[in-house]
Amino acid sequence: MDTKEIEARVAAARELHEKGLNCCQSVVMAYADKLPIDNESAMKMASAFGRGISGLRETCGCVTGMAMVCGLCGQGMMVKGLGNRFKEENGDLNCYRLLQLQGKDHSCNDLVACAARLLGETL
């Protein structure tokens, strides 16, 4: 994927998040045109994974969203590498711990943008 397309997807993910989609949905929907399912199904699939899996504050929804996109695109083997890169850039994969870092290095919207960028660089 070229830089211009990646930047457009990052901007789309940020905008979706700002409009109220959860982190997972924002990442997934930024790549909805690449998925072999319709938008409504993609939204529903990702709806329960915001705020660290339905508010449990476990694995970050951005990471879950990356995994969903990779799996649906037949690139499931890329998830571990993407997760490692996300952790290197943001300090953790856990929603609760990432929220503790908020304001120091990033916001949830920045995490959404990071995940969208990493997907673009990988797919």
Side-chain angles (χ1 to χ4, degrees), residues 32-51:
D33 64 308
K34 300 279 189 193
L35 305 179
I37 61 174
D38 62 90
N39 286 0
E40 183 179 351
S41 295
M43 282 286 286
K44 287 178 182 178
M45 174 187 70
S47 68
F49 293 91
R51 291 173 287 145

PDB file of all heavy atoms in Angstrom, residues 32-51:
ATOM      1  N   ALA A  32     -12.617  -1.475   5.618  1.00  0.00           N
ATOM      2  CA  ALA A  32     -13.815  -2.240   5.268  1.00  0.00           C
ATOM      3  C   ALA A  32     -13.868  -2.631   3.797  1.00  0.00           C
ATOM      4  O   ALA A  32     -14.358  -3.710   3.454  1.00  0.00           O
ATOM      5  CB  ALA A  32     -15.068  -1.450   5.648  1.00  0.00           C
ATOM      6  N   ASP A  33     -13.345  -1.774   2.925  1.00  0.00           N
ATOM      7  CA  ASP A  33     -13.375  -2.084   1.491  1.00  0.00           C
ATOM      8  C   ASP A  33     -12.472  -3.255   1.113  1.00  0.00           C
ATOM      9  O   ASP A  33     -12.612  -3.827   0.043  1.00  0.00           O
ATOM     10  CB  ASP A  33     -12.992  -0.857   0.665  1.00  0.00           C
ATOM     11  CG  ASP A  33     -11.570  -0.401   0.921  1.00  0.00           C
ATOM     12  OD1 ASP A  33     -11.204  -0.209   2.106  1.00  0.00           O
ATOM     13  OD2 ASP A  33     -10.815  -0.241  -0.051  1.00  0.00           O
ATOM     14  N   LYS A  34     -11.581  -3.642   2.000  1.00  0.00           N
ATOM     15  CA  LYS A  34     -10.673  -4.770   1.761  1.00  0.00           C
ATOM     16  C   LYS A  34     -11.220  -6.086   2.303  1.00  0.00           C
ATOM     17  O   LYS A  34     -10.650  -7.142   2.066  1.00  0.00           O
ATOM     18  CB  LYS A  34      -9.314  -4.509   2.427  1.00  0.00           C
ATOM     19  CG  LYS A  34      -8.582  -3.297   1.946  1.00  0.00           C
ATOM     20  CD  LYS A  34      -7.865  -3.600   0.679  1.00  0.00           C
ATOM     21  CE  LYS A  34      -6.945  -2.448   0.306  1.00  0.00           C
ATOM     22  NZ  LYS A  34      -6.473  -2.581  -1.057  1.00  0.00           N
ATOM     23  N   LEU A  35     -12.323  -6.004   3.056  1.00  0.00           N
ATOM     24  CA  LEU A  35     -12.840  -7.181   3.747  1.00  0.00           C
ATOM     25  C   LEU A  35     -13.860  -7.934   2.902  1.00  0.00           C
ATOM     26  O   LEU A  35     -14.628  -7.320   2.159  1.00  0.00           O
ATOM     27  CB  LEU A  35     -13.474  -6.765   5.074  1.00  0.00           C
ATOM     28  CG  LEU A  35     -12.583  -5.969   6.025  1.00  0.00           C
ATOM     29  CD1 LEU A  35     -13.355  -5.607   7.284  1.00  0.00           C
ATOM     30  CD2 LEU A  35     -11.313  -6.728   6.350  1.00  0.00           C
ATOM     31  N   PRO A  36     -13.914  -9.258   3.070  1.00  0.00           N
ATOM     32  CA  PRO A  36     -14.864 -10.062   2.303  1.00  0.00           C
ATOM     33  C   PRO A  36     -16.253 -10.152   2.951  1.00  0.00           C
ATOM     34  O   PRO A  36     -17.000 -11.092   2.697  1.00  0.00           O
ATOM     35  CB  PRO A  36     -14.186 -11.438   2.268  1.00  0.00           C
ATOM     36  CG  PRO A  36     -13.462 -11.511   3.568  1.00  0.00           C
ATOM     37  CD  PRO A  36     -12.970 -10.096   3.818  1.00  0.00           C
ATOM     38  N   ILE A  37     -16.564  -9.165   3.790  1.00  0.00           N
ATOM     39  CA  ILE A  37     -17.884  -9.106   4.423  1.00  0.00           C
ATOM     40  C   ILE A  37     -18.443  -7.695   4.243  1.00  0.00           C
ATOM     41  O   ILE A  37     -17.704  -6.749   3.972  1.00  0.00           O
ATOM     42  CB  ILE A  37     -17.844  -9.486   5.923  1.00  0.00           C
ATOM     43  CG1 ILE A  37     -16.952  -8.533   6.722  1.00  0.00           C
ATOM     44  CG2 ILE A  37     -17.375 -10.929   6.099  1.00  0.00           C
ATOM     45  CD1 ILE A  37     -16.977  -8.755   8.220  1.00  0.00           C
ATOM     46  N   ASP A  38     -19.747  -7.556   4.412  1.00  0.00           N
ATOM     47  CA  ASP A  38     -20.371  -6.248   4.244  1.00  0.00           C
ATOM     48  C   ASP A  38     -20.083  -5.359   5.454  1.00  0.00           C
ATOM     49  O   ASP A  38     -19.697  -5.831   6.529  1.00  0.00           O
ATOM     50  CB  ASP A  38     -21.884  -6.404   4.027  1.00  0.00           C
ATOM     51  CG  ASP A  38     -22.573  -7.047   5.213  1.00  0.00           C
ATOM     52  OD1 ASP A  38     -23.007  -6.298   6.119  1.00  0.00           O
ATOM     53  OD2 ASP A  38     -22.660  -8.293   5.254  1.00  0.00           O
ATOM     54  N   ASN A  39     -20.269  -4.068   5.252  1.00  0.00           N
ATOM     55  CA  ASN A  39     -19.968  -3.085   6.300  1.00  0.00           C
ATOM     56  C   ASN A  39     -20.764  -3.301   7.578  1.00  0.00           C
ATOM     57  O   ASN A  39     -20.231  -3.160   8.680  1.00  0.00           O
ATOM     58  CB  ASN A  39     -20.201  -1.666   5.780  1.00  0.00           C
ATOM     59  CG  ASN A  39     -19.130  -1.220   4.817  1.00  0.00           C
ATOM     60  OD1 ASN A  39     -18.184  -1.947   4.511  1.00  0.00           O
ATOM     61  ND2 ASN A  39     -19.282  -0.020   4.296  1.00  0.00           N
ATOM     62  N   GLU A  40     -22.036  -3.631   7.442  1.00  0.00           N
ATOM     63  CA  GLU A  40     -22.868  -3.846   8.627  1.00  0.00           C
ATOM     64  C   GLU A  40     -22.333  -5.005   9.463  1.00  0.00           C
ATOM     65  O   GLU A  40     -22.236  -4.903  10.693  1.00  0.00           O
ATOM     66  CB  GLU A  40     -24.316  -4.108   8.231  1.00  0.00           C
ATOM     67  CG  GLU A  40     -25.232  -4.258   9.431  1.00  0.00           C
ATOM     68  CD  GLU A  40     -26.688  -4.501   9.050  1.00  0.00           C
ATOM     69  OE1 GLU A  40     -27.048  -4.391   7.864  1.00  0.00           O
ATOM     70  OE2 GLU A  40     -27.455  -4.817   9.970  1.00  0.00           O
ATOM     71  N   SER A  41     -21.956  -6.091   8.800  1.00  0.00           N
ATOM     72  CA  SER A  41     -21.404  -7.246   9.526  1.00  0.00           C
ATOM     73  C   SER A  41     -20.068  -6.894  10.167  1.00  0.00           C
ATOM     74  O   SER A  41     -19.788  -7.299  11.302  1.00  0.00           O
ATOM     75  CB  SER A  41     -21.232  -8.437   8.579  1.00  0.00           C
ATOM     76  OG  SER A  41     -22.489  -8.874   8.106  1.00  0.00           O
ATOM     77  N   ALA A  42     -19.246  -6.127   9.471  1.00  0.00           N
ATOM     78  CA  ALA A  42     -17.954  -5.711  10.022  1.00  0.00           C
ATOM     79  C   ALA A  42     -18.152  -4.852  11.273  1.00  0.00           C
ATOM     80  O   ALA A  42     -17.466  -5.040  12.284  1.00  0.00           O
ATOM     81  CB  ALA A  42     -17.149  -4.951   8.971  1.00  0.00           C
ATOM     82  N   MET A  43     -19.107  -3.922  11.214  1.00  0.00           N
ATOM     83  CA  MET A  43     -19.402  -3.069  12.373  1.00  0.00           C
ATOM     84  C   MET A  43     -19.873  -3.898  13.562  1.00  0.00           C
ATOM     85  O   MET A  43     -19.428  -3.693  14.690  1.00  0.00           O
ATOM     86  CB  MET A  43     -20.483  -2.045  12.014  1.00  0.00           C
ATOM     87  CG  MET A  43     -19.982  -0.869  11.218  1.00  0.00           C
ATOM     88  SD  MET A  43     -19.032   0.295  12.195  1.00  0.00           S
ATOM     89  CE  MET A  43     -20.344   1.068  13.130  1.00  0.00           C
ATOM     90  N   LYS A  44     -20.779  -4.832  13.298  1.00  0.00           N
ATOM     91  CA  LYS A  44     -21.285  -5.678  14.379  1.00  0.00           C
ATOM     92  C   LYS A  44     -20.186  -6.548  14.964  1.00  0.00           C
ATOM     93  O   LYS A  44     -20.082  -6.701  16.179  1.00  0.00           O
ATOM     94  CB  LYS A  44     -22.429  -6.558  13.871  1.00  0.00           C
ATOM     95  CG  LYS A  44     -23.710  -5.802  13.627  1.00  0.00           C
ATOM     96  CD  LYS A  44     -24.784  -6.725  13.090  1.00  0.00           C
ATOM     97  CE  LYS A  44     -26.064  -5.990  12.793  1.00  0.00           C
ATOM     98  NZ  LYS A  44     -27.085  -6.881  12.229  1.00  0.00           N
ATOM     99  N   MET A  45     -19.348  -7.125  14.091  1.00  0.00           N
ATOM    100  CA  MET A  45     -18.269  -7.998  14.535  1.00  0.00           C
ATOM    101  C   MET A  45     -17.329  -7.248  15.490  1.00  0.00           C
ATOM    102  O   MET A  45     -16.922  -7.771  16.523  1.00  0.00           O
ATOM    103  CB  MET A  45     -17.492  -8.510  13.327  1.00  0.00           C
ATOM    104  CG  MET A  45     -16.260  -9.311  13.656  1.00  0.00           C
ATOM    105  SD  MET A  45     -15.297  -9.714  12.177  1.00  0.00           S
ATOM    106  CE  MET A  45     -14.660  -8.109  11.735  1.00  0.00           C
ATOM    107  N   ALA A  46     -17.019  -6.007  15.147  1.00  0.00           N
ATOM    108  CA  ALA A  46     -16.055  -5.231  15.925  1.00  0.00           C
ATOM    109  C   ALA A  46     -16.673  -4.520  17.131  1.00  0.00           C
ATOM    110  O   ALA A  46     -15.955  -4.026  17.996  1.00  0.00           O
ATOM    111  CB  ALA A  46     -15.379  -4.211  15.011  1.00  0.00           C
ATOM    112  N   SER A  47     -17.999  -4.501  17.223  1.00  0.00           N
ATOM    113  CA  SER A  47     -18.666  -3.709  18.258  1.00  0.00           C
ATOM    114  C   SER A  47     -18.348  -4.140  19.687  1.00  0.00           C
ATOM    115  O   SER A  47     -18.325  -3.311  20.589  1.00  0.00           O
ATOM    116  CB  SER A  47     -20.178  -3.714  18.043  1.00  0.00           C
ATOM    117  OG  SER A  47     -20.722  -4.995  18.277  1.00  0.00           O
ATOM    118  N   ALA A  48     -18.093  -5.401  19.898  1.00  0.00           N
ATOM    119  CA  ALA A  48     -17.866  -5.905  21.260  1.00  0.00           C
ATOM    120  C   ALA A  48     -16.404  -5.850  21.704  1.00  0.00           C
ATOM    121  O   ALA A  48     -16.075  -6.310  22.791  1.00  0.00           O
ATOM    122  CB  ALA A  48     -18.376  -7.342  21.362  1.00  0.00           C
ATOM    123  N   PHE A  49     -15.543  -5.260  20.876  1.00  0.00           N
ATOM    124  CA  PHE A  49     -14.120  -5.308  21.195  1.00  0.00           C
ATOM    125  C   PHE A  49     -13.518  -3.953  21.546  1.00  0.00           C
ATOM    126  O   PHE A  49     -12.299  -3.836  21.700  1.00  0.00           O
ATOM    127  CB  PHE A  49     -13.356  -5.963  20.042  1.00  0.00           C
ATOM    128  CG  PHE A  49     -13.713  -7.411  19.903  1.00  0.00           C
ATOM    129  CD1 PHE A  49     -14.751  -7.804  19.077  1.00  0.00           C
ATOM    130  CD2 PHE A  49     -13.050  -8.373  20.627  1.00  0.00           C
ATOM    131  CE1 PHE A  49     -15.115  -9.135  18.960  1.00  0.00           C
ATOM    132  CE2 PHE A  49     -13.406  -9.707  20.531  1.00  0.00           C
ATOM    133  CZ  PHE A  49     -14.443 -10.089  19.692  1.00  0.00           C
ATOM    134  N   GLY A  50     -14.343  -2.936  21.695  1.00  0.00           N
ATOM    135  CA  GLY A  50     -13.843  -1.645  22.137  1.00  0.00           C
ATOM    136  C   GLY A  50     -13.580  -1.660  23.629  1.00  0.00           C
ATOM    137  O   GLY A  50     -14.076  -2.505  24.362  1.00  0.00           O
ATOM    138  N   ARG A  51     -12.748  -0.742  24.050  1.00  0.00           N
ATOM    139  CA  ARG A  51     -12.395  -0.599  25.470  1.00  0.00           C
ATOM    140  C   ARG A  51     -11.855  -1.899  26.056  1.00  0.00           C
ATOM    141  O   ARG A  51     -12.201  -2.306  27.152  1.00  0.00           O
ATOM    142  CB  ARG A  51     -13.577  -0.073  26.276  1.00  0.00           C
ATOM    143  CG  ARG A  51     -13.900   1.372  25.923  1.00  0.00           C
ATOM    144  CD  ARG A  51     -15.154   1.858  26.570  1.00  0.00           C
ATOM    145  NE  ARG A  51     -16.272   1.224  25.870  1.00  0.00           N
ATOM    146  CZ  ARG A  51     -17.388   0.843  26.458  1.00  0.00           C
ATOM    147  NH1 ARG A  51     -17.582   1.044  27.722  1.00  0.00           N
ATOM    148  NH2 ARG A  51     -18.339   0.258  25.758  1.00  0.00           N
TER     149      ARG A  51
END
